[in-house]
Amino acid sequence: MLNNPKLNSSIQLPEKIAGINVDVPPQQFNCDISTNAAMILSKANKKPPLEIANELAELIKKNDEEIDTITTVKPGFINIKFKNSFWNKFIKEIISQKEGFGVNKKSPKIKYLIEFVSANPTGPLHVGHCRGAILGDVLSNLLSFNGHKVSKEYYVNDYGNQIIHFSKSVYFRIREILNNEPFPTSNKDLYPGDYIINIAKNIINNNKNLKFDNFDQVSLKLTTLSVAESLKLIKLNLKNLGIVHDKFVSETELVKNNEVEKTIKKLKANNFVYEGKIKAPETEKNTNWKERKQLLFRSTDFGDDKDRALQKEDSSWTYFASDVAYHNNKLDRKFDVLVNILGADHAGYIKRITSSVEAISGKKNKLVCKVSQLVKLIKDGKPFKMSKRKGDYITVEDLLNEVGKDASRFIMLSRSSDVELDFDFTKVKEKSKDNPLYYVQYCYTRIASVFRNVEKQINDDIKVKNYEFNYTNDEIKILKKISEWPKCLEVASNKLEPHRIPVYLYELSSEFHSYWNMGKDDETKRFINNDKKISDEKIVFLKAISIVIKSGMEILNVDTPEKM
RNA sequence: GCGCUUGUAGCUCAAUUGGAUAGAGCGCCUGACUUCGGAUCAGGAGGUUGAGGGUUCAAGUCCUUCCGGGCGCACCA
């Protein structure tokens, strides 16, 4: 506005304007929006903030007919209260945009690649994988909602020692079934889980002419089959959680296609790779450390603690080497921003992998890593520890059977991913106010129930003659809350913090429930009149609320039932 | 030892990307069902935002030093 020469303002703008915000202020200020502009501009103008605020207030008032009152306060805030015409225009806008309301149409559209889950294909997913899975999924929904292009990817670590141990475990289970040989439980490298038995059975049934006399002879074929089986399980788990990836990228394929060699060559050309030695790790446990000359990536150039190994002694690639190749592959596919969702235990890996992306792209592209913290499971008020020992770890399937997809998603998302999350099985199952999911769903259900009672559908398009309503302060309070929705989406997208959505939806629901109960004492606050009709004013108001709840819940991929 | 991360009400957590008098839920106390669905609502008590220092007109938020929790510190994945 200040750039507009017609205003003929005497206020000087600094070279860079940063930090000027327009926000909905805390309730007690009794106004609709507020800006800190005067305080930011104070220095460049060498005037006290309040003086600038007053000048600005004059300018704004002159140029906007929808402002009722404009006041300046203490340090230099400018507070604005709108006329009803503003709110009518606002609500008309929501009704016409429907679920598209809140999308930031001005922001440039970006091509994102979001890698998440990427759990080892050695068995079904367990609860520990859930949080990151849901986080990545909702982040993808959020960014696509905002009009960005998003590819959801799963990196399949089907190469290396773990996979050999896994397929060997399947091999022994097959021998157990076919030849009645006992499974070698003493071998700690093997996977003891019962699901391996099912995988073994499936492989036997589908490959009648395969011989299982010697592991080395079937190893290659068996590994492929075993990985395929566990991927089938994983994909089913994900689907039941409401998650479908766009692409699964196989580590083995990358190695086979020489992508690792190509990538290392590229890095070598820029002097990021060399033959050298690294010092022993600082941990006390590692007493059998052997110093060795090996192929290293210069991650210390980017601030990492030490350079990182690319090749093992037997000349096969390290996990890191093929992961660098995967990220090179991502960059080749021309994504603007790469996002990885990692578990807390992999946080130490971030520095080296972001370093590799910087090295490959010449600092042109960025990899953003988002860490999802641990989920502390609580059952009957007591912490529940999972261990790899058979029988006492909870799978995604257990979780879904017990609490369901919607409650799992909503609760896992309701906290910042930076913070450990208490997941109380007993509480999440409860269908009560203890459970924020039902609180928000109940809000939508109540609105649907009003529509039903006046023989309409909540999904119907609303048509009214005109938007000339007189909303009361209690209604404007909710409209103000709705006006914060676009900002909520913007911040959640920019900071990759989807937990802001459930938090927002809870707050909006709370204000709605509060308004609803006012109808007990005050008939004018009821949606349905005594003659079983609803006014245009009220139906438009309800529709606006339902639009925001619905689109929020769709981003979370959580159901909004019309009856509960 | 080093790195990352975290510390907000008795408990679990928010806090509009540095804004005004730090907000919810649970638990505790008091109240509202002849209901457009009580899976709800109104009110009360509860805080030196781990501690100190700094930057700023403005700090829970940024910088710094301590203290306490979590995770990590491989040729594993």
Side-chain angles (χ1 to χ4, degrees):
Chain A
M1 184 195 96
L2 289 169
N3 289 320
N4 187 343
K6 277 192 285 181
L7 288 173
N8 196 17
S9 147
S10 62
I11 295 171
Q12 302 293 314
L13 288 175
E15 294 283 301
K16 282 186 213 159
I17 320 176
I20 295 185
N21 295 324
V22 177
D23 292 312
V24 176
Q27 253 176 59
Q28 61 269 26
F29 295 99
N30 187 35
C31 66
D32 298 327
I33 59 164
S34 160
T35 178
N36 61 352
M39 288 175 292
I40 304 284
L41 295 174
S42 158
K43 203 166 259 178
N45 287 274
K46 294 178 184 144
K47 281 185 200 172
L50 205 56
E51 203 175 304
I52 299 194
N54 287 328
E55 287 178 37
L56 274 175
E58 280 303 309
L59 282 175
I60 298 168
K61 174 93 181 172
K62 241 185 270 173
N63 287 281
D64 199 325
E65 292 158 3
E66 276 164 348
I67 292 172
D68 185 17
T69 59
I70 179 160
T71 50
T72 55
V73 193
K74 278 190 289 185
F77 288 101
I78 301 171
N79 291 343
I80 296 171
K81 202 171 167 69
F82 292 115
K83 292 178 180 161
N84 243 304
S85 61
F86 171 86
W87 292 113
N88 282 319
K89 216 162 132 187
F90 173 66
I91 208 161
K92 186 178 179 182
E93 179 88 359
I94 301 170
I95 300 297
S96 71
Q97 292 191 17
K98 296 181 212 166
E99 266 79 12
F101 168 66
V103 177
N104 187 348
K105 295 203 180 76
K106 284 181 202 151
S107 75
K109 300 308 169 208
I110 293 172
K111 230 179 122 186
Y112 284 92
L113 188 154
I114 303 192
E115 182 202 331
F116 61 107
V117 190
S118 298
N120 287 348
T122 54
L125 297 179
H126 58 76
V127 204
H129 297 120
C130 260
R131 194 174 186 192
I134 295 166
L135 179 69
D137 187 49
V138 173
L139 217 43
S140 309
N141 292 348
L142 173 62
L143 294 169
S144 349
F145 180 85
N146 269 328
H148 301 296
K149 195 114 185 92
V150 182
S151 179
K152 296 179 274 183
E153 298 201 4
Y154 187 124
Y155 183 46
V156 185
N157 306 134
D158 52 2
Y159 175 85
N161 294 328
Q162 297 289 335
I163 286 300
I164 302 293
H165 296 320
F166 170 61
S167 97
K168 206 172 256 177
S169 309
V170 175
Y171 175 77
F172 282 119
R173 285 299 184 193
I174 290 174
R175 299 278 296 179
E176 186 183 48
I177 294 164
L178 295 179
N179 305 353
N180 227 349
E181 285 172 19
F183 185 82
T185 42
S186 57
N187 186 341
K188 293 292 174 228
D189 284 338
L190 297 181
Y191 292 76
D194 287 342
Y195 64 89
I196 304 267
I197 299 172
N198 289 328
I199 291 176
K201 281 180 189 160
N202 287 347
I203 289 176
I204 296 167
N205 291 338
N206 298 328
N207 301 276
K208 298 283 187 206
N209 41 16
L210 213 55
K211 294 268 184 292
F212 300 98
D213 301 326
N214 179 309
F215 177 70
D216 291 335
Q217 275 171 21
V218 281
S219 159
L220 221 61
K221 179 78 183 159
L222 187 58
T223 303
T224 312
L225 290 171
S226 305
V227 167
E229 284 294 325
S230 70
L231 272 181
K232 230 195 288 175
L233 289 173
I234 290 170
K235 284 182 186 173
L236 183 66
N237 288 156
L238 288 170
K239 191 178 154 226
N240 291 337
L241 269 172
I243 299 169
V244 180
H245 283 81
D246 297 310
K247 198 172 162 78
F248 283 72
V249 175
S250 153
E251 186 178 0
T252 302
E253 289 295 311
L254 288 175
V255 174
K256 239 192 241 168
N257 299 335
N258 295 324
E259 294 212 31
V260 186
E261 273 147 13
K262 267 194 298 191
T263 308
I264 288 175
K265 211 171 169 184
K266 200 163 158 184
L267 288 169
K268 232 177 203 166
N270 291 303
N271 197 25
F272 287 117
V273 169
Y274 69 106
E275 290 250 3
K277 291 175 181 172
I278 42 173
K279 7 171 224 188
E282 299 292 324
T283 38
E284 303 126 47
K285 304 186 236 174
N286 248 316
T287 46
N288 53 350
W289 169 265
K290 262 191 297 181
E291 207 180 63
R292 176 175 81 81
K293 211 172 181 198
Q294 57 190 341
L295 207 56
L296 298 171
F297 168 65
R298 285 187 205 280
S299 50
T300 45
D301 284 9
F302 304 88
D304 199 5
D305 298 340
K306 49 174 112 177
D307 292 334
R308 302 293 171 174
L310 295 165
Q311 209 163 16
K312 301 184 199 170
E313 200 162 16
D314 67 358
S315 83
S316 65
W317 300 114
T318 61
Y319 171 81
F320 177 60
S322 44
D323 202 19
V324 174
Y326 176 36
H327 284 80
N328 179 59
N329 175 289
K330 289 180 182 178
L331 291 168
D332 280 349
R333 285 183 279 144
K334 306 281 177 219
F335 286 95
D336 301 310
V337 180
L338 307 180
V339 180
N340 288 5
I341 311 290
L342 301 168
D345 53 340
H346 286 77
Y349 185 74
I350 293 176
K351 196 76 217 180
R352 79 192 73 159
I353 197 68
T354 49
S355 302
S356 79
V357 170
E358 279 188 51
I360 294 166
S361 73
K363 302 203 176 189
K364 276 186 197 133
N365 290 73
K366 233 190 147 170
L367 167 67
V368 183
C369 291
K370 198 78 194 155
V371 170
S372 86
Q373 286 298 327
L374 217 70
V375 177
K376 276 191 273 183
L377 298 172
I378 296 174
K379 217 170 180 180
D380 306 318
K382 285 179 203 151
F384 187 87
K385 285 245 165 161
M386 293 203 304
S387 90
K388 277 197 175 163
R389 266 175 304 135
K390 210 168 31 168
D392 72 344
Y393 75 95
I394 302 175
T395 64
V396 166
E397 211 184 320
D398 297 334
L399 177 78
L400 290 170
N401 286 339
E402 214 163 325
V403 304
K405 170 200 142 218
D406 286 351
S408 301
R409 290 183 71 107
F410 200 93
I411 304 298
M412 294 258 187
L413 285 166
S414 58
R415 305 285 182 224
S416 156
S417 58
D418 297 333
V419 161
E420 285 190 7
L421 175 100
D422 280 13
F423 193 89
D424 190 325
F425 272 88
T426 340
K427 273 197 181 157
V428 176
K429 261 162 63 179
E430 256 172 56
K431 300 201 168 185
S432 73
K433 58 185 172 181
D434 283 13
N435 191 330
L437 165 67
Y438 298 107
Y439 189 84
V440 175
Q441 285 183 331
Y442 187 43
C443 173
Y444 191 83
T445 304
R446 275 181 152 171
I447 297 172
S449 128
V450 173
F451 276 78
R452 243 192 337 270
N453 277 303
V454 293
E455 278 153 31
K456 288 177 195 291
Q457 291 285 325
I458 192 166
N459 291 319
D460 289 349
D461 283 347
I462 301 293
K463 287 199 183 77
V464 293
K465 283 194 210 93
N466 56 54
Y467 286 83
E468 288 166 18
F469 310 123
N470 266 308
Y471 287 108
T472 64
N473 284 337
D474 292 312
E475 287 148 354
I476 287 172
K477 196 180 156 199
I478 293 181
L479 292 176
K480 266 201 276 189
K481 189 78 207 170
I482 292 177
S483 76
E484 290 178 58
W485 175 235
K487 182 118 187 197
C488 170
L489 288 171
E490 189 191 327
V491 176
S493 301
N494 290 348
K495 297 178 86 169
L496 305 179
E497 290 183 351
H499 76 277
R500 286 166 188 275
I501 294 167
V503 168
Y504 172 88
L505 292 176
Y506 188 90
E507 288 166 358
L508 175 61
S509 302
S510 168
E511 292 190 4
F512 174 76
H513 287 311
S514 171
Y515 182 89
W516 180 284
N517 278 62
M518 288 178 197
K520 284 178 186 171
D521 303 324
D522 182 350
E523 278 195 30
T524 66
K525 298 277 165 62
R526 293 185 159 217
F527 292 104
I528 299 175
N529 321 329
N530 290 332
D531 53 357
K532 303 261 177 211
K533 293 253 172 68
I534 184 166
S535 67
D536 283 355
E537 182 178 74
K538 289 274 166 52
I539 198 137
V540 162
F541 179 62
L542 276 180
K543 182 69 184 179
I545 300 168
S546 76
I547 283 171
V548 173
I549 302 253
K550 181 84 179 175
S551 64
M553 294 292 254
E554 271 177 10
I555 292 170
L556 304 181
N557 188 3
V558 167
D559 196 24
T560 40
E562 292 180 26
K563 284 181 180 176
M564 283 170 76

